[in-house]
Amino acid sequence: MEKKQVTAGNTGIWGRFKTNHPAIAQFIVFFIISNGVTVLQMVMMPVIKYLFSFTSLVSTSFQILPIGHNLDGSVYYVFDYAAGSIGSGGGGGLAYFLAVEITLLIAQIINFFLQRNVTFKSDTSIGKAAVWYFIAWLIISVGAAALQGLYKAPVYDFFMNLMGEGAGMTVADIITMLINCVISFWVFFPILKIIFKEK
């Protein structure tokens, strides 16, 4: 009997909080789910990148969408993954690009359903919401990729010099994925409130 009262009290506290502060409660749930998905990305990305490191994709350059020049006069690409491993001075090639994008795709599919069903409790059409979610993700991905050109090389150089190539590269993988996740987190919340109308 006493156990039932404690459980009911706990449910009642969260229920009252959601009723009195619906936007804050929604943001808390969004925050928890987003952080869970971020942890998943930080585990997956280095693993996928490691698996691709044994393929010829590392030697395949993937540099598209030039949008100006770096300070040294070289072309600044939105997606800048020069051929060669990062440890040898390259940009990781197509292997790095695919590792990032496959990780993001898996994470965003999981995030889509959790945010739709748990955070926003939406009854909007899955197809319609998925299309808008994909468009938002595409825009955010391009923006995050363009920003990555500013911090990717310094982050990898710093941690590989500090910790050695192996450990430094793993930490840099996690840091770059974390920066990407933070950008997505702050941009996605207001967008998802529009995409996922509540029941």
Side-chain angles (χ1 to χ4, degrees):
M1 185 76 177
E2 190 178 336
K3 191 175 179 182
K4 272 188 177 178
Q5 289 173 346
V6 170
T7 305
N10 289 341
T11 305
I13 291 169
W14 178 245
R16 284 193 299 276
F17 183 81
K18 281 198 303 185
T19 301
N20 296 332
H21 311 283
I24 296 171
Q26 195 174 62
F27 184 79
I28 289 169
V29 175
F30 175 79
F31 181 80
I32 292 168
I33 290 173
S34 295
N35 279 294
V37 172
T38 298
V39 170
L40 176 66
Q41 289 179 80
M42 289 192 298
V43 171
M44 280 195 317
M45 191 274 192
V47 171
I48 295 172
K49 183 170 158 275
Y50 174 75
L51 294 174
F52 279 139
S53 71
F54 297 105
T55 71
S56 61
L57 295 171
V58 176
S59 305
T60 306
S61 180
F62 187 78
Q63 294 173 297
I64 62 170
L65 301 177
I67 56 168
H69 293 84
N70 294 303
L71 294 176
D72 63 3
S74 60
V75 178
Y76 188 96
Y77 295 95
V78 172
F79 293 98
D80 189 6
Y81 300 90
S85 69
I86 292 174
S88 64
L94 189 55
Y96 190 106
F97 170 77
L98 289 174
V100 170
E101 295 308 316
I102 289 169
T103 298
L104 290 174
L105 181 63
I106 293 168
Q108 293 309 322
I109 289 170
I110 293 168
N111 194 50
F112 172 83
F113 286 103
L114 286 176
Q115 299 294 5
R116 179 184 185 275
N117 298 330
V118 178
T119 305
F120 297 97
K121 298 180 178 20
S122 177
D123 60 356
T124 56
S125 157
I126 288 181
K128 186 177 175 183
V131 168
W132 283 111
Y133 187 94
F134 177 76
I135 291 168
W137 174 69
L138 199 60
I139 293 167
I140 291 167
S141 294
V142 170
L147 289 173
Q148 192 181 63
L150 301 174
Y151 64 81
K152 179 181 162 189
V155 167
Y156 277 92
D157 289 344
F158 175 79
F159 284 104
M160 288 192 310
N161 290 334
L162 181 70
M163 306 171 74
E165 188 176 318
M169 194 175 295
T170 302
V171 170
D173 284 344
I174 292 168
I175 297 294
T176 54
M177 186 54 65
L178 187 59
I179 292 169
N180 206 320
C181 292
V182 168
I183 293 167
S184 296
F185 175 83
W186 288 107
V187 176
F188 255 127
F189 184 70
I191 292 171
L192 294 184
K193 280 186 75 69
I194 297 166
I195 294 173
F196 297 134
K197 293 189 174 78
E198 291 181 80
K199 288 178 183 175

